[in-house]
Amino acid sequence: MKAVAVFPGKAGSIHLTEVQKPSVQDIPSGRGVLVKVLRVGVDGTDKEINAAEYGQAPPGADFLIIGHESFGQVEAVGPKVTEVKPGDYVAATVRRPGSSIYDQIGTYDMTTDDTYFERGINLRHGFLTEYYVDEPEYIVRVPEGLKHVGVLMEPTSVVEKGIVQAYEIQRRMRVWQPRRAAVLGASTLGLLATLVLRLRGLEVVVMARTRPPFLNSHLIEQIGARYVSTQDLTLTQASDQFGPFDLMLEGTGFSPLVFEAMEVLAKNGVLVLVSVTGGNRTVDVPADKINLGFVLGNKVAVGSVNANREYFELGAKDLSQAELQYPGWLSKFLTHPVKGLENYQEMMRLLTEEKNAIKVFVTVAKE
Ligand code: BGC
Ligand code: ZN
């Protein structure tokens, strides 16, 4: 079967390759689930892996099959699988457990190990291929009514984790009634974070560089949030006008914004950081002021990466609610479908050059 792979460490090495089709017997415990891949989303991570910024091949291989945002349909299950059955629509989690105590209790997204295993990213093959096999622990059912947007499950899970972490932390307040949130970044993660916060009843301001109107700002306004360009207002000005923000989520990938966010965050507020910034940028910050604000305001900042199945399950619920509350909204940011694995060059081109793309995804197969 076909697969899209890179040679890790070699920039621009993306290529189509031929690999053996897996089977449920590949997992000897009888707990194998064979999934036919239908659609796979791609994002900055895939771009960075192809630029050889990170990513490692599985042991014994010289290539890595990429793709970590999967959506598919169960084709066959081993004799000891009860959780899913052929025909079910599913998404797979990305990280696989290492050895820390967090890995052992299913919270592999919280691993303290130095080495982490992520399908399509590090040491494990991904989903830009025709079939994959995994254990049911890592496979999450997607309601049939969500199959047109099932490819959003993985990015949604990342957002759910960040927001759940914020609420968990805020239990320290005994009574926390967040009213205003700011989301920094208006692409897939920013849009999904805005959605999840709107579903929780918060007033949301979304900030990104581009001046409105454009598709992303329309989408934000359609679910009752406010879009502000950072070219029109600084974060500090936006906070004066629309804040203070009890919850902030930074997902722009521009790390200097983190420090401005720390400054404007409301007293008792929580700032969630989800951008994976691989660069070496440095910046001068008003350290005393930020520190003082944090101390006197009892503020918290938390980093959040990846997501375990709990957050995929929560994601499926919120995506379902979104389809009821804002029918058709999710589909509108599935902007750039790519037909077939063989069009991987077009996929890369859209990912790197198409400024108007929100979600680029590959339609690998029809049901
Ligand atoms: C993925 C996460 C992953 C992270 C770091 C992101 O693109 O969505 O699941 O943990 O990259 O590798
Ligand atoms: Zn990703």
Side-chain angles (χ1 to χ4, degrees):
M1 63 174 189
K2 293 188 282 282
V4 177
V6 298
F7 297 114
K10 214 173 139 213
S13 64
I14 189 164
H15 60 280
L16 195 65
T17 187
E18 194 61 37
V19 294
Q20 216 193 328
K21 180 180 169 182
S23 83
V24 290
Q25 282 88 35
D26 295 350
I27 293 177
S29 59
R31 299 269 295 152
V33 179
L34 177 68
V35 178
K36 179 181 178 186
V37 178
L38 299 176
R39 290 171 165 198
V40 177
V42 287
D43 71 356
T45 296
D46 303 285
K47 196 164 71 181
E48 286 155 14
I49 293 172
N50 188 42
E53 289 175 29
Y54 50 85
Q56 285 178 268
D62 65 348
F63 65 97
L64 169 74
I65 299 175
I66 61 171
H68 60 277
E69 302 178 3
S70 71
F71 176 66
Q73 194 168 24
V74 175
E75 177 133 315
V77 298
K80 295 206 172 129
V81 174
T82 54
E83 295 92 329
V84 291
K85 57 179 192 316
D88 285 353
Y89 294 98
V90 293
T93 66
V94 176
R95 200 174 279 186
R96 295 293 168 270
S99 59
S100 81
I101 189 164
Y102 308 103
D103 298 270
Q104 289 166 35
I105 63 162
T107 56
Y108 38 79
D109 55 316
M110 291 297 204
T111 193
T112 51
D113 293 355
D114 291 329
T115 308
Y116 61 91
F117 305 91
E118 287 184 342
R119 292 199 67 158
I121 301 174
N122 212 38
L123 300 166
R124 294 287 180 269
H125 283 315
F127 306 111
L128 269 172
T129 180
E130 294 175 64
Y131 294 88
Y132 70 87
V133 161
D134 217 324
E135 292 167 66
E137 283 75 6
Y138 311 113
I139 291 178
V140 182
R141 280 192 293 145
V142 178
E144 180 164 4
L146 283 182
K147 65 179 175 186
H148 55 301
V149 292
V151 77
L152 293 173
M153 281 286 287
E154 198 277 339
T156 304
S157 74
V158 168
V159 162
E160 295 284 5
K161 177 185 171 183
I163 292 172
V164 167
Q165 293 294 306
Y167 276 76
E168 281 291 301
I169 288 166
Q170 293 301 79
R171 294 210 276 189
R172 73 192 172 119
M173 301 313 308
R174 305 297 187 271
V175 36
W176 189 55
Q177 294 169 334
R179 291 173 52 199
R180 298 184 191 89
V183 172
L184 310 182
S187 51
T188 302
L189 284 190
L191 289 167
L192 290 169
T194 305
L195 172 72
V196 168
L197 292 167
R198 290 292 301 135
L199 292 176
R200 286 187 183 235
L202 276 79
E203 201 176 286
V204 184
V205 175
V206 184
M207 296 193 72
R209 235 190 101 68
T210 309
R211 278 217 169 90
F214 66 124
L215 176 58
N216 309 49
S217 69
H218 284 309
L219 288 168
I220 286 158
E221 283 157 10
Q222 275 166 18
I223 58 172
R226 182 191 302 274
Y227 179 81
V228 174
S229 164
T230 53
Q231 299 184 63
D232 293 329
L233 287 184
T234 65
L235 187 47
T236 308
Q237 290 167 334
S239 162
D240 289 342
Q241 279 192 38
F242 310 117
F245 302 118
D246 306 306
L247 190 159
M248 300 181 76
L249 187 140
E250 203 300 311
T252 61
F254 182 64
S255 55
L257 259 190
V258 168
F259 303 94
E260 206 180 332
M262 291 173 95
E263 272 192 82
V264 307
L265 183 66
K267 285 187 178 149
N268 294 348
V270 56
L271 166 64
V272 185
L273 311 177
V274 298
S275 291
V276 179
T277 49
N280 291 305
R281 200 190 304 274
T282 60
V283 66
D284 275 328
V285 297
D288 278 345
K289 199 166 165 235
I290 292 173
N291 178 67
L292 185 68
F294 254 66
V295 171
L296 299 185
N298 292 293
K299 304 187 195 182
V300 184
V302 60
S304 177
V305 70
N306 194 251
N308 66 52
R309 72 170 298 129
E310 170 190 346
Y311 306 113
F312 277 74
E313 287 168 354
L314 196 54
K317 287 186 184 152
D318 273 348
L319 292 177
S320 306
Q321 198 186 332
E323 280 294 90
L324 292 175
Q325 205 153 325
Y326 309 112
W329 184 83
L330 289 167
S331 308
K332 290 190 201 150
F333 66 97
L334 294 177
T335 50
H336 287 72
V338 174
K339 259 209 191 93
L341 293 168
E342 43 302 312
N343 283 317
Y344 65 92
Q345 297 284 19
E346 171 66 359
M347 170 193 102
M348 266 306 170
R349 193 192 64 76
L350 290 171
L351 208 47
T352 46
E353 290 167 25
E354 182 51 63
K355 293 279 169 289
N356 295 322
I358 302 183
K359 192 77 233 166
V360 180
F361 61 101
V362 181
T363 52
V364 178
K366 293 240 164 67
E367 292 165 47

